[in-house]
Amino acid sequence: MVAALLSDLATEIIIPVCAVIGILFSLIQWALVSRVKLTPDRNGPSPNNKNGFNDSLIEEEEGVNDHNVVAKCAEIQNAISEGATSFLFTEYQYVGIFMVVFAILIFLFLGSVEGFSTKTQQCTYDVHRMCKPALATALFSTVSFLLGAITSVLSGFLGMKIATYANARTTLEARKSVGKAFIIAFRSGAVMGFLLAANGLLVLYLTINLFKLYYGDDWEGLFEAITGYGLGGSSMALFGRVGGGIYTKAADVGADLVGKVERNIPEDDPRNPAVIADNVGDNVGDIAGMGSDLFGSYAESSCAALVVASISSFGINHEFTAMCYPLLVSSIGIIVCLITTLFATDFYEIKAVKDIEPSLKNQLIISTVLMTIGIAIVSFIALPSSFTIYNFGVQKVVHNWQLFLCVCVGLWAGLIIGFVTEYYTSNAYSPVQDVADSCRTGAATNVIFGLALGYKSVIIPIFAIAISIFVSFSFAAMYGIAVAALGMLSTIATGLAIDAYGPISDNAGGIAEMAGMSHRIRERTDALDAAGNTTAAIGKGFAIGSAALVSLALFGAFVSRAGIQVVDVLTPKVFIGLIVGAMLPYWFSAMTMKSVGSAALKMVEEVRRQFNTIPGLMEGLTKPDYATCVKISTDASIKEMIPPGALVMLTPLIVGTFFGVETLSGVLAGSLVSGVQVAISASNTGGAWDNAKKYIEAGASEHARTLGPKGSEPHKAAVIGDTIGDPLKDTSGPSLNILIKLMAVESLVFAPFFAAHGGLLFKL
C-alpha cells in the first residue's frame, strides 16, 4: 500500500487554516452588511454608484420623508430582534436542563458497561490489543456531547442574530434597487453559512486533537468517544427545529387566518396584532432551527465516517491524514463555497427581478462543479492508492478513486434532489401552477392537488438516494455511505447562505409593509421572498436527503459496534422493531401538527379579541398589543416541544434496554424508511401551497390574473391551502430528518451499553 502524498503536518495545518479562513470571510461579509446604516442620513444619499446603479431612492421620487422611514425600520427591527432573543434564551434554559440530565445519563450508561472499572480492557475489534477503560469512553463521550450541544446552540443563535441584524438593512437597500437588496440579504446568509461550517469543523478538529492527548494510539476508543459530538449537535437541533417551528407557524397561521381571510388586510399589515410574532418566528424557526439542524447533519456524517475509518486500515495503521479525509473534504468545501459566494455578490450583478432565481440556482451548480474538482484533489493526495475498509467483520480492499466516486455520488444526488424540489415547489413550473388553478373550485380541490403533488415529488429523490446508497456501498461499504452523506453536505456554507437568504427577505418585506413604504418597494421585497421560498424548499430537500444517508451510515456503525452479525427481517425480534419504527414518524408528526394547531387556536382567538375590543385598531389610529401574541407563541412552543423531543430521545433507550440491539436495529431501519418519505412529501406539499398563493398574488402571467386579485375566492382558497401547509413544511417535515438521524446516532453512542446489558425482557 502506497502512503498518501499529503504529510500529517500539512493536514494539521490545512484543516484549521481553512476553518479560520471561513470565519474571517464571514466577518468580512458582516462588515459589508453593517455599512448600511439604520440611522437617518442627514446629508442626503451617498453618491455611491457601484454596479452601475444610480442610487436615487424611490422615496425621493415620491416625495416621502426619508428620515421617518429609516427610524421606523430601525424600531421594527429592534422589536423583532428582542422577541427572537428572548424566545431563544427561554428555550435554551429548558434545553440546558435537558443537556445536563442527558450528559449524566450518557456517563452512567456507558460507565456501567464494565462496572465503572478503571482497568484497561480488550479492544472491541482487535482483541489482541488493550484499549482504554470503558469509564474513559463514558467521560469523553459526555464531554464531546456537551461540546456538540453548545456548538449547535451557538450556530443557531448567531444565525438568528445576523438575520435580525440584516432584515431592515435589506428593506432600506430595496429603495435603491432589487440588486442592492439581494446582495445584502445574500451576504447576511453567507455570514451564517460560513460561521457554521467553519465553527463545526474547527471545534471537531480541536476536540479530536485534545482527546488524542489521553487516548494516544487507541484510535478505536478515541473516535467512539467523538460520536457524542454528533449526538449533542442533533439533540439541540431537535428542540430548536420543533420549538422554533411551533413558534413560527402558530403566529403565521393566526396572522393569516384572521388578517387575510377574515379582515381582508394585507400580509404584514401593522394593524395585525400577530405580525411581530410572525416575523420573530421566521428567525427562530427557519434560521436558528435550520442552522442547528444542518450543523447536526454535518457533525454526524463526520462522526459516522470517523468511527468506521478508525477500525479500518487508516485507524489500525495510524494514518492520520487518511483518517482526517472527511475533515479535509469539509475544509475544501469552505474554500469552494467562498469562491462560489463571490459569483453572487461580486462577479455577477442582478439588474432585474427575473435574475434573482437563476443567480441562486447558479450558486448550487457552481459549488457542485467546483467541489467535484476539490474532492478529486483531496482524494488523490490525502488517501493511499489502496487501503482496507471495515465491512461487517471483514476488511474490504478499496482504491482512492472509488472513494472519490462515493463522495461525488452524494454531492450530485444532493443537486438532483435540489432541482426536483425546485420543480415541484417553484411557481415558474406547471406543478404549482396546476395547484393554483385548482383554487378556482375552492379550498378542497386545492388541498387534493397539493397532497398529490407532495406524494409524487418523493419519487425521484428516493431513486437518487437509492442509487447513491447502492453505488457508495458497493465501492466502500458503510464508509462509502458516510462520505456520500458528507459529499452532500460538503457545500453546506453555500446551502445555508441560500437558505438563510429566504427568511431575511421575508422579514424585509414585512418591515417594508409595517413601515408604510411604497408599493414598489414591497414588490421588490416580494420578488426576493418568492425566490427565497423556493430556495428554502431546496435547502429542506438537501437536509432530508443527507439525513437519510447519514442515518444509514450511523446505522451501519451501530450494527458493527453492537456486534450484530446480520439484521434478519424474518426474525420476530427485528420485524416488530421494523413495524414500530415505521410508525414513529407518523406519531411524531401528529404531535407537532397538533401542537401548531392548538397554539394557532389561541393566537386566532387573541387576534380576533384585539380587533373586536381595541377601538380604532382597524382604522390604524391605535397600535395593537404585539407583546401578548409574542408571549402566546413563546409559551406554546416551549411547552409543546417537550413531548415530541422526549419521544425521539427515549425510544432508543427504552427499546435498546428492554428489547435489545436486534429490535433496536429494526426500529432504526423502519423509522429511516418511512421518515424520509413523509418528510419529503410534507415539505414539498407545504412549499407548493405557499407558492401557489404567491403566484395568484403576484399576478405576473395572464393565467395568474384570471385567478386574482388578492381577496378573490380563488385567492382565499389558496390562503387556506397555504395555512394547512405551514406546519407541514416548517414544523413536521424538517423535524423528521432530525428524528431519523438522532435515533441512529443515539443508538451508536449507547451501543456498548445495549450490547452488554440490553434486551432485559428477552433475558427473563
Side-chain angles (χ1 to χ4, degrees):
M1 292 191 185
V2 186
L5 295 172
L6 197 66
S7 70
D8 287 359
L9 179 66
T11 305
E12 283 169 22
I13 295 169
I14 288 171
I15 297 172
V17 164
C18 287
V20 170
I21 290 172
I23 292 169
L24 290 175
F25 183 70
S26 68
L27 293 176
I28 292 166
Q29 298 297 318
W30 183 73
L32 290 169
V33 171
S34 61
R35 279 163 57 180
V36 179
K37 294 287 173 259
L38 272 183
T39 46
D41 184 5
R42 301 287 170 198
N43 311 323
S46 63
N48 176 10
N49 200 11
K50 189 200 174 248
N51 286 356
F53 292 125
N54 187 0
D55 282 2
S56 68
L57 304 180
I58 288 179
E59 260 77 7
E60 286 173 20
E61 295 167 32
E62 299 182 354
V64 179
N65 185 341
D66 182 27
H67 305 321
N68 290 350
V69 169
V70 179
K72 218 167 185 181
C73 283
E75 182 194 329
I76 297 163
Q77 184 203 25
N78 278 341
I80 294 171
S81 184
E82 279 167 21
T85 307
S86 79
F87 166 73
L88 286 180
F89 273 127
T90 314
E91 180 182 73
Y92 294 155
Q93 283 167 7
Y94 284 85
V95 168
I97 298 166
F98 157 80
M99 206 157 80
V100 172
V101 171
F102 208 75
I104 295 167
L105 271 183
I106 293 175
F107 182 72
L108 293 177
F109 270 66
L110 294 183
S112 67
V113 172
E114 294 288 332
F116 296 99
S117 152
T118 50
K119 294 193 189 77
T120 53
Q121 53 173 354
Q122 272 188 339
C123 295
T124 312
Y125 299 99
D126 184 358
V127 287
H128 305 300
R129 287 179 46 239
M130 297 305 281
C131 283
K132 299 289 183 194
L135 194 63
T137 305
L139 182 64
F140 283 100
S141 294
T142 309
V143 172
S144 61
F145 166 77
L146 291 171
L147 280 172
I150 292 163
T151 314
S152 178
V153 162
L154 209 62
S155 304
F157 186 75
L158 288 174
M160 182 279 299
K161 274 294 185 202
I162 291 150
T164 53
Y165 181 80
N167 48 21
R169 287 172 167 81
T170 306
T171 311
L172 294 177
E173 287 293 275
R175 298 176 308 163
K176 297 173 186 171
S177 72
V178 74
K180 288 281 170 87
F182 170 82
I183 285 179
I184 289 292
F186 191 80
R187 280 194 200 283
S188 319
V191 177
M192 176 182 175
F194 283 91
L195 263 185
L196 186 136
N199 275 341
L201 177 65
L202 195 59
V203 176
L204 181 58
Y205 180 71
L206 292 175
T207 310
I208 291 171
N209 279 309
L210 288 172
F211 283 15
K212 227 165 94 183
L213 298 175
Y214 169 79
Y215 276 99
D217 281 350
D218 176 14
W219 284 17
E220 185 188 297
L222 164 64
F223 290 103
E224 191 173 298
I226 288 287
T227 50
Y229 184 71
L231 176 60
S234 253
S235 53
M236 294 305 104
L238 175 72
F239 291 107
R241 257 296 191 206
V242 175
I246 293 168
Y247 185 108
T248 175
K249 291 304 119 184
D252 198 358
V253 171
D256 280 1
L257 281 182
V258 185
K260 284 194 204 164
V261 178
E262 292 179 13
R263 295 279 167 170
N264 224 354
I265 57 177
E267 190 162 0
D268 297 314
D269 192 296
R271 294 170 291 179
N272 193 330
V275 74
I276 293 283
D278 185 8
N279 281 298
V280 168
D282 289 339
N283 292 295
V284 296
D286 294 346
I287 299 255
M290 186 71 184
S292 291
D293 178 5
L294 280 176
F295 167 76
S297 279
Y298 165 75
E300 281 164 345
S301 55
S302 305
C303 291
L306 290 168
V307 167
V308 181
S310 70
I311 51 177
S312 305
S313 63
F314 301 158
I316 296 163
N317 305 333
H318 297 99
E319 297 167 15
F320 184 71
T321 299
M323 190 70 217
C324 285
Y325 177 68
L327 302 184
L328 285 165
V329 168
S330 305
S331 306
I332 294 296
I334 290 176
I335 306 300
V336 163
C337 292
L338 192 153
I339 298 165
T340 309
T341 302
L342 297 176
F343 277 94
T345 54
D346 296 81
F347 303 157
Y348 174 79
E349 117 197 7
I350 286 191
K351 290 181 173 162
V353 166
K354 66 177 190 311
D355 299 338
I356 300 170
E357 215 161 294
S359 175
L360 291 169
K361 274 165 68 176
N362 288 343
Q363 285 287 298
L364 291 174
I365 297 168
I366 294 166
S367 63
T368 304
V369 171
L370 291 178
M371 194 63 209
T372 308
I373 301 165
I375 296 164
I377 296 167
V378 171
S379 303
F380 292 105
I381 64 168
L383 295 170
S385 56
S386 72
F387 42 88
T388 64
I389 293 290
Y390 183 86
N391 179 23
F392 300 120
V394 293
Q395 294 285 351
K396 176 186 171 91
V397 177
V398 179
H399 298 281
N400 54 8
W401 61 267
Q402 291 176 308
L403 219 47
F404 159 68
L405 289 177
C406 291
V407 186
C408 285
V409 158
L411 178 68
W412 286 90
L415 188 69
I416 291 166
I417 292 172
F419 281 144
V420 170
T421 308
E422 189 219 11
Y423 173 72
Y424 279 105
T425 56
S426 165
N427 53 27
Y429 302 103
S430 60
V432 170
Q433 292 172 9
D434 291 345
V435 172
D437 193 63
S438 70
C439 295
R440 291 176 192 281
T441 45
T445 39
N446 180 25
V447 170
I448 293 167
F449 269 70
L451 287 172
L453 176 145
Y455 297 148
K456 194 175 174 190
S457 71
V458 175
I459 301 168
I460 298 173
I462 291 296
F463 276 119
I465 293 169
I467 292 166
S468 27
I469 289 170
F470 182 77
V471 171
S472 47
F473 190 86
S474 306
F475 281 148
M478 277 300 171
Y479 188 68
I481 292 174
V483 292
L486 211 66
M488 207 178 270
L489 291 164
S490 57
T491 52
I492 185 172
T494 296
L496 261 170
I498 293 174
D499 231 14
Y501 154 87
I504 292 169
S505 308
D506 191 357
N507 260 206
I511 292 172
E513 182 76 50
M514 284 187 269
M517 289 177 154
S518 93
H519 71 96
R520 286 166 64 192
I521 294 178
R522 184 70 220 220
E523 277 168 16
R524 286 174 179 177
T525 57
D526 275 354
L528 291 172
D529 182 23
N533 248 347
T534 304
T535 55
I538 293 174
K540 284 172 191 142
F542 262 94
I544 295 164
S546 62
L549 293 177
V550 170
S551 58
L552 185 60
L554 291 164
F555 175 69
F558 161 73
V559 169
S560 303
R561 183 62 190 84
I564 303 171
Q565 295 307 313
V566 64
V567 179
D568 184 357
V569 183
L570 295 176
T571 53
K573 273 186 196 177
V574 176
F575 192 79
I576 56 168
L578 203 61
I579 202 159
V580 168
M583 172 273 296
L584 288 173
Y586 293 93
W587 187 0
F588 180 82
S589 299
M591 282 176 159
T592 48
M593 295 278 288
K594 194 153 186 287
S595 300
V596 172
S598 55
L601 203 66
K602 291 185 189 125
M603 188 66 79
V604 167
E605 284 165 359
E606 174 57 25
V607 175
R608 276 183 188 151
R609 183 194 69 74
Q610 291 197 28
F611 273 126
N612 294 334
T613 59
I614 299 178
L617 180 57
M618 260 318 265
E619 293 73 36
L621 303 172
T622 48
K623 267 188 165 180
D625 174 9
Y626 297 128
T628 307
C629 291
V630 170
K631 189 175 181 330
I632 287 175
S633 259
T634 303
D635 294 349
S637 55
I638 297 293
K639 188 172 118 237
E640 302 280 0
M641 75 180 181
I642 295 166
L647 172 73
V648 178
M649 298 301 290
L650 295 176
T651 301
L653 289 180
I654 292 169
V655 175
T657 307
F658 292 106
F659 298 92
V661 284
E662 277 111 333
T663 309
L664 182 53
S665 63
V667 168
L668 296 178
S671 65
L672 165 63
V673 168
S674 83
V676 174
Q677 333 278 342
V678 179
I680 296 175
S681 64
S683 292
N684 291 350
T685 295
W689 276 327
D690 192 349
N691 275 344
K693 176 201 73 176
K694 285 198 163 61
Y695 174 74
I696 295 173
E697 287 175 351
S701 67
E702 194 53 51
H703 175 238
R705 284 191 285 278
T706 62
L707 298 167
K710 286 183 183 180
S712 66
E713 287 307 312
H715 177 249
K716 282 184 178 171
V719 170
I720 291 170
D722 174 36
T723 312
I724 299 169
D726 274 339
L728 284 172
K729 80 175 191 320
D730 288 324
T731 313
S732 297
S735 308
L736 278 172
N737 58 45
I738 303 177
L739 169 131
I740 54 182
K741 293 181 309 196
L742 185 51
M743 285 184 16
V745 72
E746 190 183 333
S747 304
L748 174 60
V749 170
F750 286 100
F753 174 80
F754 297 149
H757 305 297
L760 296 177
L761 287 181
F762 295 126
K763 288 176 182 171
L764 293 177

